[in-house]
Amino acid sequence: MQTVTHIADVRARVLAWRRAGERIAFVPTMGNLHAGHISLIELARRHGGRFIASIFVNPMQFGPNEDFTHYPRTPARDAEMLAAAGCDLMFMPDVGEMYAQGATPPTRVEVPEISTMLCGAFRPGHFDGVATVVAKLFNIVQPDVAIFGEKDFQQLVVIRRMAADLCFPITIIGAPTVREPDGLAMSSRNQYLAEAERAVAPAIHAALAEAASALATGAADLAALEHAGAARLAAQGMQVDYFTVRRRLDLEPPVPADRELVVLAAARLGKARLIDNLQVDRSAT
Ligand code: AMP
C-alpha cells in the first residue's frame, strides 16, 4: 500500500490506473479505524479494481464547541489495518492541503433541507462540511464507486442527493452498520463513554429495534412510538436529541403510503453524542 499526503500524488496514481483500464473504489474516513470501517473496505474490494481510502479529520464538519481537537487520531494503526485489508492507496492530507484557502472555504456545497433536519438541527453547518469535503474528495479521487456506512444514515442521504444533483459519475453504496455483540453501533466516539455509560449505551439499539418491530407488525401511531423510544433512552440518563420515524428516501415524515422507513435516534451520554438507526419495511395495511 502506498501512502500519500498530496492531491497531485493521488491524481498521478489514479491516472496511471485509469490508463491501465482499472476501476476505482473509494472509502472516505476520519481514521481511528474499527471493524465498521473495515466492513466498508471489504465491500469496496468486492467491486474489484483498485481501492483507495482517505483519512482526514475534516475541521469544516465540526462545530466550534465540538471534538475536532480531541477526535482520536491513530494514523500508524490505521495504515496497518488498511494495508492488511488490501488497500492500494491511503490518502492522508493535512488541513492545509485540503483547504489551501483556510478552514472556511469560499466555495461550499450545501444540500438544502436534508442538511438542516435531525442531526443538522443540532449541529448547524455539519452537513455542509461533510458535503463540501466529500465533493472535494470525489474530484480528487474520481472513483467509480464510493462506499458510506448506513450507521450515518442522514450523511448517506445527503451524499446521495449531492452526487445526483451535481452529476458526479459515481455509484454511491450504503454498507450495513457493524455492531458490538450487545448491539451498540461501532463508533470512534464510543471511546468517550465511561464504563457505566458504556453499559447503558446499547439501550439505543434496543429502543430502535422495539420501534422497528412494532412498525413491521403494523403499528400506525408513529408519535406514540417516538415518544416511547425517547422516554426509554431518557430513563437511562441520556439526553435525547431525537427519536423519530422517517421515510428512507428523503428523511421526511412518512405519509401512510410510505413503506420504506427508518427509525433514527441521537442522544448524548456523558461526553459522547451517539447516533444510530434501523431500517424497516412497514407492512401493508
Ligand atoms: P468516520 O470515520 O466516522 O467518518 O466514518 C467513515 C465511514 O465509515 C462512514 O461512511 C461511516 O458511516 C462508516 N462507519 C462508521 N461506523 C460504522 C459502523 N459501525 N458500521 C458501518 N459503517 C460505519
Side-chain angles (χ1 to χ4, degrees):
M1 182 181 77
Q2 200 185 346
T3 300
V4 298
T5 55
H6 293 296
I7 293 169
D9 295 330
V10 180
R11 291 198 193 284
R13 244 311 96 225
V14 167
L15 189 64
W17 286 333
R18 288 260 176 243
R19 284 193 173 137
E22 302 209 68
R23 285 172 58 78
I24 291 164
F26 177 47
V27 175
T29 80
M30 298 204 298
N32 193 241
L33 301 182
H34 51 64
H37 296 110
I38 299 303
S39 77
L40 268 54
I41 288 157
E42 279 159 5
L43 196 60
R45 288 192 57 206
R46 268 187 255 146
H47 286 265
R50 297 293 180 168
F51 161 53
I52 301 179
S54 63
I55 296 198
F56 180 60
V57 184
N58 171 33
M60 198 183 155
Q61 72 188 69
F62 287 78
N65 300 316
E66 293 185 353
D67 55 344
F68 174 69
T69 319
H70 303 291
Y71 194 84
R73 290 165 171 87
T74 50
R77 197 172 145 270
D78 293 345
E80 274 172 32
M81 287 173 79
L82 285 175
C87 181
D88 294 294
L89 184 74
M90 174 169 99
F91 177 43
M92 197 164 22
D94 66 16
V95 173
E97 182 74 3
M98 288 299 286
Y99 296 107
Q101 66 287 64
T104 308
T107 304
R108 53 173 61 220
V109 179
E110 198 182 315
V111 184
E113 288 168 29
I114 305 171
S115 290
T116 48
M117 60 171 71
L118 304 174
C119 281
F122 293 89
R123 305 184 67 191
H126 168 68
F127 289 113
D128 299 348
V130 170
T132 302
V133 81
V134 171
K136 286 163 79 81
L137 288 166
F138 279 1
N139 280 324
I140 294 164
V141 175
Q142 301 187 8
D144 299 287
V145 172
I147 294 111
F148 293 85
E150 291 172 348
K151 149 87 168 47
D152 300 286
F153 198 86
Q154 188 175 4
Q155 170 172 282
L156 179 59
V157 176
V158 166
I159 287 162
R160 281 193 199 287
R161 182 82 261 151
M162 179 204 63
D165 288 354
L166 298 184
C167 308
F168 279 106
I170 300 172
T171 305
I172 308 297
I173 295 178
T177 302
V178 176
R179 301 178 177 283
E180 302 286 357
D182 60 10
L184 178 65
M186 287 192 180
S187 165
S188 304
R189 291 190 167 105
N190 292 349
Q191 295 166 35
Y192 299 154
L193 297 170
E195 205 179 323
E197 293 160 355
R198 174 64 189 81
V200 298
I204 298 181
H205 175 249
L208 289 170
E210 194 171 280
S213 119
L215 282 166
T217 51
D221 186 346
L222 304 190
L225 287 180
E226 292 174 347
H227 187 262
R232 184 166 170 180
L233 300 188
Q236 298 287 344
M238 300 186 198
Q239 277 181 278
V240 183
D241 283 350
Y242 59 80
F243 188 103
T244 187
V245 182
R246 298 293 172 105
R247 58 185 194 199
R248 292 212 279 277
L249 181 68
D250 55 10
L251 298 183
E252 291 291 339
V255 296
D258 287 320
R259 299 272 164 253
E260 296 185 346
L261 306 182
V262 56
V263 197
L264 307 113
R268 280 165 289 141
L269 181 59
K271 289 202 202 80
R273 183 175 184 277
L274 304 175
I275 60 171
D276 199 355
N277 67 85
L278 280 181
Q279 297 173 51
V280 57
D281 291 328
R282 179 155 57 177
S283 60
T285 43

